[in-house]
mmCIF file of all heavy atoms in Angstrom:
data_model
loop_
_atom_site.group_PDB
_atom_site.id
_atom_site.type_symbol
_atom_site.label_atom_id
_atom_site.label_comp_id
_atom_site.label_asym_id
_atom_site.label_seq_id
_atom_site.Cartn_x
_atom_site.Cartn_y
_atom_site.Cartn_z
ATOM 1 N N SER R 805 68.196 133.329 116.211
ATOM 2 C CA SER R 805 69.020 132.483 115.313
ATOM 3 C C SER R 805 69.291 131.131 115.951
ATOM 4 O O SER R 805 69.310 130.094 115.275
ATOM 5 C CB SER R 805 70.294 133.192 114.890
ATOM 6 O OG SER R 805 71.142 133.421 115.998
ATOM 7 N N ILE R 806 69.525 131.097 117.277
ATOM 8 C CA ILE R 806 69.756 129.836 117.948
ATOM 9 C C ILE R 806 68.475 128.964 117.923
ATOM 10 O O ILE R 806 68.552 127.772 117.618
ATOM 11 C CB ILE R 806 70.211 130.054 119.415
ATOM 12 C CG1 ILE R 806 71.644 130.583 119.400
ATOM 13 C CG2 ILE R 806 70.134 128.765 120.229
ATOM 14 C CD1 ILE R 806 72.121 131.046 120.770
ATOM 15 N N VAL R 807 67.359 129.565 118.181
ATOM 16 C CA VAL R 807 66.087 128.832 118.131
ATOM 17 C C VAL R 807 65.847 128.210 116.772
ATOM 18 O O VAL R 807 65.487 127.037 116.676
ATOM 19 C CB VAL R 807 64.908 129.729 118.560
ATOM 20 C CG1 VAL R 807 63.570 129.094 118.245
ATOM 21 C CG2 VAL R 807 65.004 130.079 120.033
ATOM 22 N N LYS R 808 66.061 128.975 115.741
ATOM 23 C CA LYS R 808 65.873 128.456 114.381
ATOM 24 C C LYS R 808 66.788 127.280 114.094
ATOM 25 O O LYS R 808 66.377 126.266 113.526
ATOM 26 C CB LYS R 808 66.122 129.550 113.331
ATOM 27 C CG LYS R 808 65.006 130.577 113.291
ATOM 28 C CD LYS R 808 65.350 131.686 112.324
ATOM 29 C CE LYS R 808 64.308 132.772 112.412
ATOM 30 N NZ LYS R 808 64.632 133.974 111.653
ATOM 31 N N ARG R 809 68.055 127.395 114.499
ATOM 32 C CA ARG R 809 69.019 126.304 114.263
ATOM 33 C C ARG R 809 68.686 125.055 115.110
ATOM 34 O O ARG R 809 68.839 123.928 114.633
ATOM 35 C CB ARG R 809 70.434 126.778 114.499
ATOM 36 C CG ARG R 809 70.922 127.700 113.405
ATOM 37 C CD ARG R 809 72.342 128.149 113.613
ATOM 38 N NE ARG R 809 72.287 129.257 114.578
ATOM 39 C CZ ARG R 809 73.349 129.849 115.075
ATOM 40 N NH1 ARG R 809 74.545 129.427 114.759
ATOM 41 N NH2 ARG R 809 73.210 130.834 115.955
ATOM 42 N N ILE R 810 68.199 125.277 116.310
ATOM 43 C CA ILE R 810 67.829 124.119 117.167
ATOM 44 C C ILE R 810 66.593 123.441 116.579
ATOM 45 O O ILE R 810 66.554 122.233 116.501
ATOM 46 C CB ILE R 810 67.590 124.573 118.608
ATOM 47 C CG1 ILE R 810 68.939 124.846 119.292
ATOM 48 C CG2 ILE R 810 66.791 123.544 119.387
ATOM 49 C CD1 ILE R 810 68.851 125.409 120.671
ATOM 50 N N GLU R 811 65.619 124.227 116.158
ATOM 51 C CA GLU R 811 64.417 123.642 115.547
ATOM 52 C C GLU R 811 64.784 122.836 114.287
ATOM 53 O O GLU R 811 64.273 121.751 114.090
ATOM 54 C CB GLU R 811 63.426 124.727 115.184
ATOM 55 C CG GLU R 811 62.692 125.331 116.312
ATOM 56 C CD GLU R 811 61.803 126.512 115.935
ATOM 57 O OE1 GLU R 811 62.068 127.132 114.876
ATOM 58 O OE2 GLU R 811 60.879 126.763 116.674
ATOM 59 N N TYR R 812 65.658 123.380 113.454
ATOM 60 C CA TYR R 812 66.057 122.722 112.209
ATOM 61 C C TYR R 812 66.809 121.432 112.523
ATOM 62 O O TYR R 812 66.580 120.411 111.903
ATOM 63 C CB TYR R 812 66.915 123.666 111.388
ATOM 64 C CG TYR R 812 67.416 123.037 110.115
ATOM 65 C CD1 TYR R 812 66.583 122.898 109.012
ATOM 66 C CD2 TYR R 812 68.713 122.526 110.038
ATOM 67 C CE1 TYR R 812 67.023 122.288 107.848
ATOM 68 C CE2 TYR R 812 69.168 121.929 108.876
ATOM 69 C CZ TYR R 812 68.325 121.803 107.773
ATOM 70 O OH TYR R 812 68.774 121.188 106.618
ATOM 71 N N THR R 813 67.736 121.492 113.496
ATOM 72 C CA THR R 813 68.595 120.340 113.769
ATOM 73 C C THR R 813 67.879 119.217 114.549
ATOM 74 O O THR R 813 68.013 118.061 114.209
ATOM 75 C CB THR R 813 69.838 120.799 114.611
ATOM 76 O OG1 THR R 813 70.518 121.807 113.887
ATOM 77 C CG2 THR R 813 70.763 119.641 114.900
ATOM 78 N N PHE R 814 67.119 119.604 115.554
ATOM 79 C CA PHE R 814 66.528 118.586 116.428
ATOM 80 C C PHE R 814 65.047 118.358 116.159
ATOM 81 O O PHE R 814 64.467 117.403 116.699
ATOM 82 C CB PHE R 814 66.758 118.963 117.890
ATOM 83 C CG PHE R 814 68.182 118.962 118.276
ATOM 84 C CD1 PHE R 814 68.870 120.161 118.464
ATOM 85 C CD2 PHE R 814 68.886 117.783 118.442
ATOM 86 C CE1 PHE R 814 70.201 120.150 118.818
ATOM 87 C CE2 PHE R 814 70.223 117.768 118.784
ATOM 88 C CZ PHE R 814 70.886 118.948 118.960
ATOM 89 N N ASN R 815 64.432 119.210 115.390
ATOM 90 C CA ASN R 815 63.052 119.053 114.953
ATOM 91 C C ASN R 815 62.110 118.685 116.080
ATOM 92 O O ASN R 815 62.017 119.415 117.063
ATOM 93 C CB ASN R 815 63.009 118.049 113.798
ATOM 94 C CG ASN R 815 61.793 118.207 112.924
ATOM 95 O OD1 ASN R 815 60.822 118.853 113.315
ATOM 96 N ND2 ASN R 815 61.836 117.658 111.755
ATOM 97 N N ASP R 816 61.424 117.570 115.949
ATOM 98 C CA ASP R 816 60.413 117.193 116.955
ATOM 99 C C ASP R 816 60.997 116.545 118.218
ATOM 100 O O ASP R 816 60.257 116.149 119.094
ATOM 101 C CB ASP R 816 59.366 116.257 116.325
ATOM 102 C CG ASP R 816 59.946 114.962 115.794
ATOM 103 O OD1 ASP R 816 61.191 114.851 115.697
ATOM 104 O OD2 ASP R 816 59.178 114.066 115.459
ATOM 105 N N ARG R 817 62.321 116.490 118.315
ATOM 106 C CA ARG R 817 62.939 115.945 119.522
ATOM 107 C C ARG R 817 62.989 116.964 120.665
ATOM 108 O O ARG R 817 63.236 116.618 121.806
ATOM 109 C CB ARG R 817 64.395 115.487 119.231
ATOM 110 C CG ARG R 817 64.446 114.317 118.293
ATOM 111 C CD ARG R 817 65.869 113.836 118.127
ATOM 112 N NE ARG R 817 66.459 113.555 119.420
ATOM 113 C CZ ARG R 817 67.720 113.809 119.727
ATOM 114 N NH1 ARG R 817 68.547 114.339 118.845
ATOM 115 N NH2 ARG R 817 68.219 113.540 120.927
ATOM 116 N N VAL R 818 62.761 118.234 120.365
ATOM 117 C CA VAL R 818 62.838 119.282 121.366
ATOM 118 C C VAL R 818 61.570 119.213 122.236
ATOM 119 O O VAL R 818 60.467 119.354 121.758
ATOM 120 C CB VAL R 818 62.949 120.675 120.729
ATOM 121 C CG1 VAL R 818 62.909 121.755 121.818
ATOM 122 C CG2 VAL R 818 64.212 120.780 119.914
ATOM 123 N N VAL R 819 61.794 119.017 123.531
ATOM 124 C CA VAL R 819 60.688 119.053 124.492
ATOM 125 C C VAL R 819 60.541 120.470 125.010
ATOM 126 O O VAL R 819 59.428 120.985 125.121
ATOM 127 C CB VAL R 819 60.959 118.070 125.677
ATOM 128 C CG1 VAL R 819 59.908 118.200 126.743
ATOM 129 C CG2 VAL R 819 61.118 116.643 125.169
ATOM 130 N N CYS R 820 61.681 121.136 125.277
ATOM 131 C CA CYS R 820 61.652 122.495 125.824
ATOM 132 C C CYS R 820 62.999 123.152 125.588
ATOM 133 O O CYS R 820 64.055 122.503 125.664
ATOM 134 C CB CYS R 820 61.367 122.391 127.330
ATOM 135 S SG CYS R 820 61.335 123.983 128.152
#
Side-chain angles (χ1 to χ4, degrees):
S805 65
I806 289 171
V807 167
K808 287 176 187 172
R809 288 182 279 175
I810 285 174
E811 287 175 336
Y812 178 79
T813 303
F814 295 106
N815 202 343
D816 61 348
R817 293 185 54 218
V818 176
V819 175
C820 178

